[in-house]
Amino acid sequence: MAVQRTLSIIKPDAVGKNVIGDIIRRFEENGLSVIGTRMTHLSAEQAGRFYAVHKERPFYQDLCDFMSSGPILAMALEGKNAVALNRQLMGATNPKEAEAGTIRADHADSIDANAVHGSDSQENAAIEISFFFADLDLHSRG
Ligand code: ADP
Ligand code: MG
């Protein structure tokens, strides 16, 4: 499987719980490398642009409010099969359905406050990484 890049975000709930280190440990122990990091606090407008694909969904406003409620940690991850591997480590969107041992099973409280974001395709990963990072901010291990 080819080396890929994907975007991970540690959401405001997980930053607030002080579990950044635990989440990054899971990525590193499973073969993903952190090649860029940025801690920021999105405005509701910025969160809305990031999640524009969901703008017709009923949960869009709540999602933007939540994502702008506190600091987040955006990370570019790199590794074999990074997009799917990150999704696997995250677990299902609704933590009640997340497999035991996944990030969301262990750290998410609800479908809104669900600890992490992860890109869902290589195409979206490229778009989402460029939302937060310039090429010069990414440091490939390959
Ligand atoms: P994922 O984050 O697993 O890729 P989606 O892309 O479908 O999930 O949705 C983006 C985010 O919107 C989710 O992580 C979650 O916080 C929120 N969300 C998704 N579906 C719902 C829902 N039915 N009710 C409330 N919030 C939702
Ligand atoms: Mg998604």
Side-chain angles (χ1 to χ4, degrees), residues 11 51 54 59 63 87 93 104 111-112 114 116-118:
K11 294 187 178 185
Y51 278 114
H54 293 311
F59 56 80
L63 175 61
R87 297 289 312 189
T93 306
R104 282 168 163 168
I111 197 165
D112 299 288
N114 64 358
V116 279
H117 166 85

Side-chain angles (χ1 to χ4, degrees), residues 13 17 90-115:
D13 56 322
K17 287 178 178 174
M90 289 164 61
T93 306
N94 184 345
K96 290 189 188 126
E97 291 160 13
E99 216 175 295
T102 59
I103 295 167
R104 282 168 163 168
D106 290 345
H107 293 308
D109 294 326
S110 67
I111 197 165
D112 299 288
N114 64 358

Side-chain angles (χ1 to χ4, degrees), residues 76-131:
L77 303 175
E78 185 181 75
K80 283 188 188 147
N81 200 19
V83 173
L85 177 55
N86 180 38
R87 297 289 312 189
Q88 189 186 320
L89 296 172
M90 289 164 61
T93 306
N94 184 345
K96 290 189 188 126
E97 291 160 13
E99 216 175 295
T102 59
I103 295 167
R104 282 168 163 168
D106 290 345
H107 293 308
D109 294 326
S110 67
I111 197 165
D112 299 288
N114 64 358
V116 279
H117 166 85
S119 307
D120 61 8
S121 66
Q122 281 196 83
E123 186 191 358
N124 285 336
I127 295 167
E128 292 178 359
I129 288 171
S130 68
F131 185 89

Side-chain angles (χ1 to χ4, degrees), residues 6-58:
T6 193
L7 184 83
S8 169
I9 299 177
I10 302 182
K11 294 187 178 185
D13 56 322
V15 171
K17 287 178 178 174
N18 216 23
V19 293
I20 288 172
D22 177 73
I23 292 171
I24 292 178
R25 175 187 60 77
R26 293 165 191 246
F27 296 145
E28 293 185 335
E29 285 184 356
N30 286 279
L32 295 171
S33 298
V34 177
I35 63 163
T37 63
R38 181 173 183 186
M39 184 172 257
T40 189
H41 187 152
L42 297 174
S43 66
E45 186 274 331
Q46 288 169 327
R49 271 196 284 130
F50 181 78
Y51 278 114
V53 304
H54 293 311
K55 67 172 177 292
E56 307 303 335
R57 310 284 287 277

Side-chain angles (χ1 to χ4, degrees), residues 5 35-38 76 129 132-140:
R5 291 179 177 182
I35 63 163
T37 63
R38 181 173 183 186
I129 288 171
F132 288 101
F133 299 100
D135 283 352
L136 286 173
D137 299 324
L138 301 172
H139 305 279
S140 179

